Amino acid sequence: MKKLILSLILALSLSFSFAGEGMWLPLLLKALNEAEMQSMGMRMTAEDIYSVNQGSLKDAIVHFGGFCTGEIISRSGLVLTNHHCGYGAVQSHSTIENNLLKNGFWAMNKGEELPNPGLFVKFIVRIEDVTEEVLAGVNEDMTSRERQSAVDKNINGLEVEKVDYQDYMVRPFFNGNQYFLFVTETYSDVRLVGAPPESIGKFGADTDNWEWPRHTGDFSLFRIYASPDNTPAEYSADNVPYTPKHSLPISLDGVETGDFTLVFGFPGRTNQYLPSPAVKQIMDVVDPARINIRSKSLKVMDKYMRADEATRLKYAGRFASVANGWKKWIGETQGLEQTDALGKKNELETEFTSRILASDELQSMYGNLLPSFEELYANNTPYIKARIYYDETFNRGIQLFRIVRNLDRLKSTYVNNGEEAYANLAERYLSFFEDYFEDYETIIDREVCEVLLNHFYSNLDKKFLPESIIKEDAFMRDLRVKELTHQLFQDEVATIEGVRALLALDGKGFGEAIDKLYAIAFYRGVQDKLKSDISPSYDANTEGIRELQRIYMKALMEVFPERTFWPDANSTLRVTYGYAEGYEPRDAVTYQPVSFLDGVMQKYKPGDYEFDVHPKLIELYEQGDFGQYADRVTGKMPVCFLGSNHTSGGNSGSPAIDADGNLVGLNFDRVWEGTMSDIHYDRSICRNIMVDIRYVLFVLDKFGGAGYLVEEMELVHPKS
Ligand code: ARG
Ligand code: GLU
């Protein structure tokens, strides 16, 4: 009896789908979320958010370039996204004389908008549940390979209603227990309209990244162009601004604590239903390995960057991307610890086990799941660690190997496809390398190489080391690493001159020349070792884990019928909702949910690369000239705010929408303490960070002088 009551209490606590947690499929909102959303203050219906019959919020949301989210904010196809999402586009238009990243850019009319070959935005026209069709004929006796080929066959056989210029894709959900179809429209004439200078768009850079309080104006603006009939078209001077089915009205009234917020976008990947051994492995093995390796290379870069301004500029981008993951994982491990993620997983698994024990049928289907996970994760631990070491050292850490990898690929092109293919690729590589070496310093890479090889060597089990670096004792190891580093760099493959000379050769000469390079031989040795002694076991374990996870996901849904499940993120369109609210990161510390321009001035460090402030912004601040964008209560200029919306990488650039469907902010980050939300969401410390839309408009209008753009937008005052 006692057990039953416990069960019931647990069941009740689990059935409550907490406000905040979850990345929901737009087409299921009506069934699963509408009531809760409305009880939290939303004044829209599910149909206002997602409808196939009429324009709805979803028609204003785009997958931006496949890696971020954007939203339509005018009837003429204006798209808002983050500065760090538009970064590549802005960079591609920058020259030394005209550095748009540094100075910012504002097109003063449509004629000045800049095309971006390769950039696209994707709309979701319609979503359908196709589980039944995709899983037709699939059964549990099939091997995972048989299952996959049956699924692929069914997907290929789908008859999808769509017009010519539309595409579709089918994606697995709940680890392959459900399948949804997405009909899409992709527009590839996307022009840059505006971006603030980095001192606003990237204010605080890596020091503030993943942190609150935040003061970054992380936005940029684009415009979609279409053929005269409004359908997708390649870039053409004859294209016209796209007319959307819906564009977001913009609220100038802001949010305050307790206001409902919704974030709509394309989160990349979460792992909310992992079993406890997986979470333990992340905390004990995966994150620490990655963090340690990156700490080492960051330390070297930082040393050189601080010593010299030119170096600082060259390495800023690389440093930012290495630091982004590094800092997130540190927060993730701490957050998992702080919220006792493991304890909570164990609790759930204990309940799972006791529920299946109560039924012979469940027991026979699912009784061995948890022990099998335990075993497979344990088996995989040495391999996953080795994989991370190889990846972080040779793919992401030492830049020399990036160069070498490309050269080796070029040789394969010659061998497989002949001289012409070689010549074409060599030309492309040459222009890539001319760029690459602009921001490269051999001295830094050499030092990173020495430090990382040493770490690799000291921490990885000997059986996973490539022949070329095996040596016994520590003294010999240090010497050996120095010697290796010397040999690796001796052929000058890590210089533009060296690469130019190689690429000037014909295919045959090139192949012979690189075969003589020590760095190439070493790199091949590394690859061979990975292929022969690590990948086979790693792949087999991972495949087994994937299969178990599919069954476990199905089991969770059956064993906890009272609970509402949301599918892990998979780069498809999702809705997440919560409140505008602050949090308490640790004892006696409370974070307010809104930051103001005053905070920018408090952080101001003249000349500093992260915290410099543009003179014009200082002037506007001192004049208190915020126009219609000032906060209506305080009169101050809001900059960023926090919410309990469950977001992830890929949600960058997603709109933050108020209870009535108006745009109030632009998502761009999460707080450090809460980055474990990819694995374990906890309402107490998981927060997303958004730029206040009023700051975006203020910068655009008062700072950038592009106020004419505001005229295209629909500004509203829902609170007055
Ligand atoms: N943390 C944000 C995200 O994950 C912003 C990253 C870009 N900014 C940076 N300083 N690296 O994408
Ligand atoms: N900055 C992230 C992105 O580029 C969003 C932050 C997050 O991971 O939540 O998508």
Side-chain angles (χ1 to χ4, degrees), residues 241-277:
Y242 169 74
T243 306
K245 288 195 213 101
H246 184 72
S247 74
L248 299 176
I250 298 176
S251 163
L252 290 184
D253 289 351
V255 288
E256 52 209 284
T257 296
D259 282 355
F260 174 84
T261 54
L262 171 165
V263 173
F264 208 170
F266 293 85
R269 208 154 80 96
T270 60
N271 286 299
Q272 213 73 202
Y273 304 102
L274 292 176
S276 56

Side-chain angles (χ1 to χ4, degrees), residues 67-68 82 84-85 209-210 324 328 647-653 667-670 678:
F67 51 86
C68 277
N82 287 148
H84 76 264
C85 299
N209 191 23
W210 298 114
N324 194 43
K328 181 174 100 163
T647 53
S648 189
N651 268 127
S652 275
N667 184 73
F668 71 101
D669 211 356
R670 273 174 290 165
D678 289 344

Side-chain angles (χ1 to χ4, degrees), residues 68 82-85 201-211 214 216 218 316-317 319-325 328 610 648-650 652 668-670 675:
C68 277
N82 287 148
H83 183 269
H84 76 264
C85 299
K202 226 185 132 175
F203 183 75
D206 293 296
T207 300
D208 273 9
N209 191 23
W210 298 114
E211 286 193 37
R214 193 63 160 277
T216 315
D218 196 343
F319 188 92
S321 77
V322 177
N324 194 43
K328 181 174 100 163
E610 297 189 304
S648 189
S652 275
F668 71 101
D669 211 356
R670 273 174 290 165
T675 52

